[in-house]
Every structure is written in C-alpha cells, then in structure tokens.
Amino acid sequence: MIKQEVLDQYEPTIGIECHVQLNTKTKLFSGASNDERGKQPNEATSPICFGLPGTLPVLNAKAVELAVRAGKALNAEIAKVSSFDRKHYFYPDLPKGYQITQLDRPTVGNGEITVPVDGREVKVRINRAHLEEDAGKLTHPSGADYSLVDLNRAGTPLLEIVSEADMHSAAEAKAYAQELYLLMKYAGVTLGDLQHGNMRFDVNVSVAKKGAKEWGRRVEVKNINSFRAVERSVQYEVARHIELIEKGEAVKQETRGWDEAKQRTVSQRSKEEAMDYRYFPEPDVPPVVLTDEEIEAIHADMPHLPPHIRGELARLGVDQATAETLILHDALSGSGYVHTVMQVGAKGPDGAAKFTASWLVNRDIKHRQDNPTQQGVPSDDQFIAVYEMSGAKEISSNGVDELLFMLKSDHMLSAREVAEAKGLLQQNDTDAIAVEVGKVLSDPANQKAVTDVKNGEMKAIGFLVGQVMKATGGKTNPAVVSELIREALKK
Amino acid sequence: MSTNNPHHTITIDAIKRRIAGGESVRSIVEEALAKAEKVKDYNPLISVTPEAALKRADELDARLKKGEDLGPLGGVPYVAKDIFLAHGTVATAGSNILKNFDSPYQATAVNRLEAAGAVLIGKANNDAFGNGGSTENSDYGVTKNPYDPARVAGGSSGGSTAAVALGIVPFSIGGDTGGSCRQPASYCGVLGMKPTYGGVSRFGVIPYTTSLDTIGAIANTAEDTAAVFDVMAGQDELDSTTLPERPVSFMPKDNKPGKLRVGIIKQHMREDVVQPEVIKAVNDVAEKLRKLGHEVEEVSLPTLDSSLATYYIVAPAELSSNLLRYDGVKFGHVAEEAKTLQDLYGLTRDQGFNAENKRRIIMGTYVLSSGYIDAYYRKAQTVRTKLINEYAKTFEKYDALIGPVAPTTAFEIGKNTSDPLQMYLEDLMTVGPSLAGLPALSLPAGFDNKGLPIGLHIIGPQKSDALLLAIADQLESAE
C-alpha cells in the first residue's frame, strides 16, 4: 500500500477510447443481423461477413445517422465529407485480413463534454469519433489443439470515441465513462447493454510527478466493460506506476488487460512492437457526403440528453444527487423515471415534480429490487393526485408509499378511489379527532401517560398518539392528534 | 471481322436467327460444347459444365414452346472468366488456392445475363487473380493463341478471348483491370472492351485491383459487344461503386458518330518500342477515319510515360490487400499439416499462390508499408490524379483517342516468363484508361507479316462507351 503523501506527489493523466456498439438492425457493411443474442455461432452472418471472394461492403446508412447523433451528443464537429480506410493484419477473427475503419477522415471530429464528478464539473475534450466494423470472437477450449471462430460479431458497427488525456483521477475516469454511457444511451446510439459488451473501454494511463514538464510512460488497459472496472483499473495502474517510479524502475510501455476476478491488470503485448497496419483508403466504399440540411434533420430528431435533462430537473427543484440517480437508473433499467418527473412538472403544481423524483429514488428503486414483477411506475396524474392528497394531509407518509405501490400496477386506477377503498385516507377533521382524543385521555389505562405529560414529560405524548392511532385504525393524521393532545392537556 | 482466323467465329445475331428459325437451344448449346471439346488443346476453359448448361437449355426450350420471349440474349451460349461466381460452377480465379470454391451467390453480371436468356457453358482460363499478361500465370496451364498455338492468347482474360476467337461462343465476359480484356483481344483478333469504371457491377467477381477492376465484354463485333453491355450494365445496390446512370443503349439505332476529332497518342507510337506493322496498322486506321470525315492528328499526353510505373504500384498494393483473406481459415486451400497459426497462414498461402501472385503481394505490401508508403503508393496516386486531369484536358479538345493496344502482336509461349518486367511492358498502352476509369476497347485492325492479329485501341472520356462502340461499328462497316 502506498502512503497517501506519496500518491499526492503524483498526477495521473488518463485518456479513454470507448468502442460503442451501434443500435442498428444490420451490420455496418452487410445485411446480416446485428443482434447475436441467443444465436448459434456463425448464425448472424452473410457471405460478406465471411469475406467470401467477390463480396463487397455496402455502407449501412443508419450507422452514419447514429454517428451524427453521437457527434451532437458530444458537441462535436460533423465532417461533411468522411471516408473509410483499410487496416490490415492477420488474425482468424478478421475474415478479410483487414478491418474497414476510418483513419484520415472520421465522421465526427473535435468535441467536448462536461462530466459531473463529486459535485464539480470536469470538461473532457473529444478528439474524434469514427465508424468501424468489429471483429469476430475466438474461443480457445482448454486442453484442445484448436480454437473456435465465431463471426457473429464480425462486421457489427462500432463507433470509437477517442478522448483527449483530460482526466486526472480514477474518479474522473469513471465519471467520464458513465457520462459517455448516458449520452450514447439517451441519444439512442446504442442499446447500452454493458453485460453484452455494448460499450467497451480502453484506458490509457500515465503518471508523472506533479509539476513535471513531461508526461510519464503510457500504458493501455484494454477491453474494460464496466464503470467500476474503469475506476479500479485506473487506481491499480496509477499505484503500480508510482511504485515502479519510486523504486527507480521504468514503466514499460505496453498493453494490459483487466482481470476482474483478481482485481488487477495483466500484461498482454508490448506496444514496442508496433504493428504496421498499412492503412490506405477503402476503394469499395465511396466517401460519405453529408449536407447541412441532413445533419440538421438528424440533430432535430434527437431525444433529450442528460445535460438538458439535468437543467430541466433543477428547474423543477430536484436536487443534483436525485437527478443523477434518476438519469442513471433510467439508462440502466429503462424505468422511465425522468419522463414521469418531467410530465408531473409540466402538469402538476409546484413541488410535485420534486416530490415525485424523491419518492422514486428513495422508495421505488428498492421496491423494484425486492419485487421484480412490479416494474411499473405510477402515472404523472397519479403522482399529482397523491401529492395533492399528501399536501392536504389526507394521507400519511406511510399512506403515500402504500398508495403509490398499488397505483404503479395500473395507470387507470384513481388515486382517491384506491385510497378510500384501502382505508388510507386520514381523518383530518379536528372535531372528529378531538372526540377520539377525548376518549383516549379519559381511558383509565392511559392515566399514567396523561400524568407524565402534565408533569412535562413530552415523550409520553408519543404513547398517547399511538393509542389514538390504534383506536382509529391509523386513519388519523398523527400531527393533528399530537397537537390536540397538547392542547387538551395544557388545561 | 477477320478472315485470317483458322476457326469459324459466330455472332449473337446468327444464333438468334437460328433459334427464331426453329432450332432448339439444346442444339445450339450441344454445338458449343462439342466445339469446346474439339479445341480443348488450346486450353481456353478451366471448367465446362455440360449438365447444367443442357438443363438450362431444356428449360429455355420449354419456355420457347409456350411462346415466351427469352430475352435479348435468349439461347445464346457464353463463357465467363473464372473470376466470376456462377451457380453450378466452381470459381478458381485461375488459382490453386480456390481449386474447389463453390459459392452460395453469383455475380450480378451473371444474374443479368441469365435473366436475358444467355446460357453459361463453362469458365474461361486466366492468369491467377488477373496477375499476368499472357495467361501463362494460370495454375491450370497456358491458353494457346487460336492463330498460332505456339503463342500466347494474351492475358489475363486469355481464355475468354480465345473462346470467342475459337468460335466456341459468340461472346464471353472477362475482367479488365489494366488491359486484361483488350490486350488478349488484340492478340486473338476479336473485340474486347472495358466500360467506364462503375459501369458494370463488380459484385460476385473475384477482385484484383478494386479501384481499377471493370467487367469487360468480348465478342466479334461492336454490335454484339454493345448487346452484352446493354444487359449487364447499370447500378447495383450490392456494389457501391456502380454509376447511378447508364446509357439507355450502348448502341442506339442511329449510332453513326458525327464529325469527330480523334487524337493519335504520340507516346504510344514510338518506333523503338512498337512493332512496325502495329504502327502501320494504327496509321491505316487513322486514314480510314479521315476518309470517313473525321479529323485525326497526333496528340501528346506526357504523363502516360509514368502510367505503367503508376499501375505497377497501385495494382499490387490493392491486390496485396485483396488477397489477405486467402488464409486457410474460412474457405479455399488449407495446409492441413500446419500445427501453428503462423504455419497455417504461411504454408497455405505459399502452397496456394504462384510466383507472380507472390511477387505482387510482396511488391504491394512493400509500397504500402510504413516508411515507404509516401514515396510509392501516395506518390503513385498523385501521378494518377495528374493523369486523370491530363486525359480530361485532352478530351476537352478531342472526342476520342487511338493508338496500339500492345507494343507487339502475340509473343511466343515462354518468351517473357523469365523476365517479369518484360511481361509488365505488355501492359504499356492499356493501363492509362484503367487508371483514369475511362472506357476503352480493342478493335481488330489487320495482321502483321506473320498473320497475327493487331488491335486498335480506342479510348474515350468517362461515360462515352456508346460513342466508342459507334466508332468501332463505323470502322467495321467501312472494311
């Protein structure tokens, strides 16, 4: 373990390359299915995927559209003319012996995103984002003298987003990865299924003494597919580099992998033997030409993105932490929380949206976890009704929970009707409650408590309130009860 | 049409008239198959598919009986260079590495010819992957010249052109990347044409140089050549490099060209490079053109002097890329004895590719490699742009250009095989239009003192395909 004083002498610098699997029906250059889930090996393929002689790549227009959307989400320049290049190397998961990618003229250029990290904002610049086809998958059965090639993934469309080295801590790296995920998911660019590798991160880490003029040696950790692993791998690498430097040893410039089980990085191949990919322009695919009108049309048709949503939620009085939870939860589980909160904000009285947001985050998330079959969300009208009833003290806070949990199963249910039917409405009629209070106060069983209160022990009020609640089946507003008891016993 | 040909050649029209007169398609196809068998020593075909062809002939005959129109090429037999994928045939590309490649899809060009009623009877011999100018680089033996079997038929589409010159079929289709239809056509005394780049779909055609490959047609007359392009040409969604428009017809009814300005390419008329009879033949045509009312004069295109070098950088570069997929993993030849991945790649490719393939793979890899790519590949592409601009400027003044197709007539088998560079020089005249994506054809234009055919090169600006055929047609009629 490295002492904090030592860690503090160093500044990590991190850049991240993220491969995003695009949400298209078919692959980047062929009509084969882009969905390999549940398929047999080599089932989601076509002759083009196999690189069979005489087949030609044909560009998927939807992939270009999604790249343009991603560019907007990244606040990036969209190239009016972009083109593809061939990147050559031999490997069994690369059927043509080359990958069609974009080197010289990527579709998306310089951009910048603002990443929320621990209550502050970090700006991370984007260098570029380019389209490329993915490779297939190899499996190496242990003990066997063969490997298996599955080309289902070969040719699937990727957008590689390259950041500048603008991050300086594991927390910033993790936050960037998460923000990228949110942006791409909300923009509809990717399905964002991290389990299935819809987004993969390569982190580039180097470490230098604070104030140093040069950057340290850079190490790449490839193929990370969770935000936590991004954070952990950066932490691990930073510590590893610092240890080496403190010992006077050099950091080897290399590529490493992340071992999730052992929570450490492992050396893979040395970057010193740099491969010569012999890039040249892809002659089978004509350049992509986009007009201002086409780009405008794509941008105009996009869903709202997290930065916009954050602003809207803030306007509705939702605090930052709650807002972040709503946004992330929706992305990870398709819960539709944000939409509901916004609708409540649009249709309901002041405070309703904040109430809704708070309830969803603090109450509904756990309820969903505990009740996997109850994945619905109450409707905006239902939330507004409950909020108003709560405001009028017609239901207690427990009552709010019970009611909303019931309403979430059916948007046609009326909040008031269900509350009545389930006996959740609180008695607020002071006179009626006073009668009950009177009964409890005159009950001989409660005389000790009454005496305690009269003698100044206010804690005993709780017992008396409880008795009134019991006698009324919980249907009275405890605050009102408490007040009436105080009044009554002051005399 | 050449009368020196020891073999009897046929036209599309003659076939169609026989069918219209009541002869069965089966009879026509049987005749073609018999002819192929008779001349098999010339080795024009790598494979013949009699069963499939006769089955198809019977299908067509059944439709004829019903009174159906079979299409513009109904019942006409043809062969395709072995780079075309076609159902029921194996496509070897002339190489051992694809000895048994039976594909699940076929070329768009073949589809369209099929839809027009044509009958494929076999696959024609060619230099493996188009790497050659004589068909001596075929892994299935050389194709002999129909005029003199001691000589080459030319390449790389030697088999396709020989098949037409031998009278097996009235037309064939080939690939023309740097002259591969035109040069053998000039050696075999038939008409061979490459269209404007993108004129015919490359889908289902095994590539050589992606940015230069075109699908060519070979026949005995301009009219027949036009008929074949009429069927094949046009946009294809499976090939993004096809042109969005095409001529309504490659030979419209009133195709007589108006008064034209024709340039004789100065750089290709050098007496120290070109056989004297070839120079004379070109000048004779120039005279003929003048008699027909056109203006003909010499024009200089200096960048052409760099065109061969440019071609022999660009072509191997793209070839080396296109051949990477032959690795023993998915299809084609596999070196069964390989124990490691390196060996699988190395042995498979060493065994499957021939010397010329390897030569070009190494050249291509070299010119694309880091440290050399700027000096070679990028420089070559820059010269290519210069050439494109030079042609464009020339075509502002001239409607067409003429010259020889090759420096000599057909050479003896074995003459150039020990000197690859000498072999490359055979492409000297034909690579220019390929680099610039221009249409160009070789028209039979007489014979040399040995009776060997000479071809006239006619080149036009992009999309002037119909004009070139009109000029060829006019010259044919003027004989």
Side-chain angles (χ1 to χ4, degrees), chain A residues 352-384:
Chain A
K354 185 173 168 166
F355 161 80
T356 304
S358 187
W359 187 83
L360 287 170
V361 165
N362 297 316
R363 312 298 293 142
D364 193 58
I365 291 180
K366 182 153 196 312
H367 188 255
R368 285 166 160 257
Q369 278 168 11
D370 296 341
N371 300 280
T373 53
Q374 295 183 41
Q375 296 300 302
V377 175
S379 71
D380 43 34
D381 291 326
Q382 288 171 334
F383 269 114
I384 291 168

Coordinates of all heavy atoms in Angstrom, one line a residue, chain A residues 352-384:
Chain A
A352 N -44.5 19.3 -7.0 CA -45.0 17.9 -7.3 C -43.8 17.1 -8.0 O -43.7 15.9 -7.7 CB -46.2 18.0 -8.3
A353 N -43.1 17.8 -8.9 CA -42.0 17.0 -9.5 C -41.0 16.6 -8.5 O -40.4 15.5 -8.6 CB -41.4 17.9 -10.6
K354 N -40.6 17.5 -7.6 CA -39.6 17.2 -6.6 C -40.1 16.0 -5.7 O -39.3 15.1 -5.4 CB -39.4 18.5 -5.8 CG -38.3 18.3 -4.8 CD -37.9 19.6 -4.1 CE -37.0 19.2 -2.9 NZ -36.4 20.3 -2.3
F355 N -41.3 16.1 -5.4 CA -41.9 15.0 -4.6 C -41.8 13.7 -5.3 O -41.4 12.7 -4.8 CB -43.4 15.4 -4.3 CG -44.3 14.3 -3.9 CD1 -44.2 13.8 -2.6 CD2 -45.1 13.6 -4.8 CE1 -45.1 12.7 -2.2 CE2 -45.9 12.6 -4.4 CZ -45.9 12.1 -3.1
T356 N -42.2 13.7 -6.6 CA -42.1 12.5 -7.4 C -40.7 12.0 -7.5 O -40.5 10.8 -7.3 CB -42.7 12.8 -8.8 OG1 -44.0 13.4 -8.7 CG2 -42.7 11.6 -9.7
A357 N -39.8 12.9 -7.8 CA -38.4 12.4 -8.0 C -37.9 11.8 -6.7 O -37.3 10.7 -6.7 CB -37.6 13.6 -8.4
S358 N -38.2 12.5 -5.6 CA -37.7 12.0 -4.3 C -38.3 10.6 -4.0 O -37.6 9.7 -3.6 CB -38.1 13.0 -3.3 OG -37.6 12.7 -2.1
W359 N -39.6 10.4 -4.3 CA -40.2 9.2 -4.0 C -39.6 8.0 -4.8 O -39.3 7.0 -4.3 CB -41.7 9.3 -4.2 CG -42.4 8.0 -3.7 CD1 -42.8 7.7 -2.4 CD2 -42.7 6.9 -4.5 NE1 -43.3 6.5 -2.4 CE2 -43.3 5.9 -3.6 CE3 -42.6 6.5 -5.8 CZ2 -43.8 4.7 -4.1 CZ3 -43.1 5.3 -6.3 CH2 -43.6 4.4 -5.4
L360 N -39.5 8.3 -6.1 CA -38.9 7.3 -7.0 C -37.6 6.9 -6.5 O -37.3 5.7 -6.5 CB -38.8 7.9 -8.4 CG -40.2 8.0 -9.1 CD1 -40.0 8.8 -10.5 CD2 -40.8 6.6 -9.4
V361 N -36.7 7.8 -6.2 CA -35.3 7.5 -5.9 C -35.3 6.8 -4.5 O -34.6 5.8 -4.3 CB -34.5 8.7 -5.9 CG1 -33.1 8.5 -5.2 CG2 -34.2 9.2 -7.3
N362 N -36.0 7.3 -3.6 CA -35.9 6.8 -2.2 C -36.7 5.6 -1.9 O -36.5 4.9 -0.9 CB -36.2 8.0 -1.2 CG -35.2 9.1 -1.3 OD1 -34.0 8.8 -1.4 ND2 -35.6 10.3 -1.3
R363 N -37.8 5.5 -2.6 CA -38.7 4.4 -2.3 C -38.9 3.4 -3.4 O -38.9 2.2 -3.1 CB -40.1 5.0 -2.0 CG -40.2 6.1 -1.0 CD -39.6 5.8 0.4 NE -40.5 4.9 1.0 CZ -40.1 3.9 1.8 NH1 -38.9 3.7 2.0 NH2 -41.0 3.1 2.4
D364 N -39.0 3.8 -4.6 CA -39.3 2.9 -5.7 C -38.2 2.0 -6.1 O -38.4 0.8 -6.4 CB -39.9 3.6 -6.9 CG -40.5 2.6 -7.9 OD1 -41.5 1.9 -7.5 OD2 -40.1 2.6 -9.1
I365 N -37.0 2.5 -6.1 CA -35.8 1.7 -6.6 C -35.7 0.4 -5.8 O -35.6 -0.7 -6.3 CB -34.5 2.5 -6.5 CG1 -34.6 3.6 -7.6 CG2 -33.3 1.6 -6.8 CD1 -33.3 4.5 -7.6
K366 N -35.8 0.6 -4.4 CA -35.7 -0.6 -3.6 C -36.8 -1.5 -3.8 O -36.7 -2.8 -3.9 CB -35.5 -0.2 -2.1 CG -35.4 -1.4 -1.2 CD -34.7 -1.1 0.1 CE -34.2 -2.4 0.7 NZ -35.2 -3.5 0.8
H367 N -38.0 -0.9 -3.9 CA -39.3 -1.7 -4.1 C -39.1 -2.6 -5.4 O -39.5 -3.8 -5.4 CB -40.5 -0.8 -4.2 CG -41.8 -1.5 -4.2 ND1 -42.5 -1.7 -5.4 CD2 -42.5 -2.2 -3.2 CE1 -43.6 -2.4 -5.1 NE2 -43.6 -2.7 -3.8
R368 N -38.6 -2.0 -6.5 CA -38.4 -2.8 -7.7 C -37.4 -3.9 -7.5 O -37.6 -5.0 -8.0 CB -37.8 -1.9 -8.8 CG -38.7 -1.0 -9.4 CD -37.9 0.0 -10.1 NE -38.7 0.6 -11.1 CZ -38.7 0.3 -12.4 NH1 -37.9 -0.5 -12.9 NH2 -39.6 0.9 -13.2
Q369 N -36.4 -3.6 -6.7 CA -35.4 -4.7 -6.5 C -36.0 -5.8 -5.7 O -35.7 -7.0 -6.0 CB -34.2 -4.1 -5.7 CG -33.2 -3.4 -6.5 CD -32.2 -2.6 -5.6 OE1 -32.1 -2.8 -4.4 NE2 -31.4 -1.7 -6.3
D370 N -36.8 -5.5 -4.7 CA -37.5 -6.5 -3.9 C -38.6 -7.2 -4.6 O -39.0 -8.3 -4.2 CB -37.9 -5.9 -2.6 CG -36.8 -5.3 -1.7 OD1 -35.6 -5.8 -2.0 OD2 -37.1 -4.5 -0.8
N371 N -39.2 -6.5 -5.5 CA -40.4 -7.1 -6.2 C -40.2 -7.0 -7.7 O -40.7 -6.2 -8.5 CB -41.6 -6.2 -5.9 CG -41.9 -6.2 -4.4 OD1 -42.5 -7.1 -3.9 ND2 -41.5 -5.1 -3.8
P372 N -39.4 -8.0 -8.3 CA -39.0 -7.9 -9.7 C -40.2 -7.9 -10.6 O -40.1 -7.5 -11.8 CB -38.2 -9.2 -9.9 CG -37.9 -9.7 -8.6 CD -38.8 -9.2 -7.6
T373 N -41.4 -8.4 -10.2 CA -42.5 -8.4 -11.1 C -43.2 -7.1 -11.1 O -44.1 -6.9 -12.0 CB -43.6 -9.5 -10.7 OG1 -43.9 -9.3 -9.3 CG2 -43.0 -10.9 -10.8
Q374 N -42.9 -6.2 -10.2 CA -43.6 -4.9 -10.2 C -42.6 -3.8 -10.7 O -42.1 -3.0 -10.0 CB -44.0 -4.6 -8.8 CG -45.1 -5.6 -8.3 CD -45.6 -5.2 -6.9 OE1 -45.8 -4.0 -6.6 NE2 -45.7 -6.2 -6.1
Q375 N -42.5 -3.8 -12.1 CA -41.6 -2.8 -12.7 C -42.2 -1.6 -13.2 O -41.6 -0.7 -13.8 CB -40.8 -3.5 -13.8 CG -39.9 -4.7 -13.3 CD -38.9 -4.2 -12.3 OE1 -38.1 -3.4 -12.6 NE2 -38.9 -4.8 -11.1
G376 N -43.5 -1.4 -13.0 CA -44.2 -0.2 -13.5 C -43.9 1.0 -12.7 O -43.3 0.9 -11.6
V377 N -44.3 2.2 -13.2 CA -44.1 3.4 -12.5 C -45.5 4.1 -12.5 O -46.2 4.1 -13.5 CB -43.1 4.3 -13.2 CG1 -43.0 5.7 -12.6 CG2 -41.8 3.7 -13.3
P378 N -45.9 4.7 -11.4 CA -47.2 5.4 -11.4 C -47.2 6.4 -12.4 O -46.2 7.0 -12.8 CB -47.3 6.0 -10.0 CG -46.4 5.2 -9.1 CD -45.3 4.7 -10.0
S379 N -48.4 6.8 -12.9 CA -48.5 7.8 -14.0 C -48.4 9.2 -13.4 O -48.5 9.4 -12.2 CB -49.9 7.7 -14.7 OG -50.9 8.1 -13.8
D380 N -48.1 10.1 -14.3 CA -48.0 11.5 -13.8 C -49.2 12.0 -13.1 O -49.2 12.6 -12.0 CB -47.6 12.4 -15.0 CG -48.5 12.1 -16.2 OD1 -49.6 11.8 -16.1 OD2 -47.9 12.3 -17.3
D381 N -50.4 11.6 -13.6 CA -51.6 12.0 -13.0 C -51.8 11.4 -11.6 O -52.2 12.1 -10.6 CB -52.9 11.6 -13.8 CG -52.9 12.4 -15.1 OD1 -52.5 13.6 -15.1 OD2 -53.3 11.8 -16.1
Q382 N -51.4 10.2 -11.5 CA -51.4 9.5 -10.2 C -50.5 10.2 -9.2 O -50.9 10.4 -8.0 CB -51.1 8.0 -10.3 CG -52.2 7.2 -11.0 CD -51.8 5.8 -11.4 OE1 -50.6 5.5 -11.6 NE2 -52.8 4.9 -11.5
F383 N -49.3 10.5 -9.6 CA -48.4 11.2 -8.7 C -48.9 12.5 -8.3 O -48.8 12.9 -7.1 CB -47.0 11.4 -9.4 CG -46.0 10.3 -9.2 CD1 -45.6 9.5 -10.2 CD2 -45.5 10.1 -7.9 CE1 -44.7 8.5 -10.0 CE2 -44.6 9.1 -7.7 CZ -44.2 8.3 -8.8
I384 N -49.5 13.3 -9.2 CA -50.1 14.6 -8.9 C -51.2 14.5 -7.9 O -51.2 15.2 -6.9 CB -50.6 15.3 -10.2 CG1 -49.4 15.7 -11.0 CG2 -51.4 16.6 -9.8 CD1 -49.7 16.1 -12.4

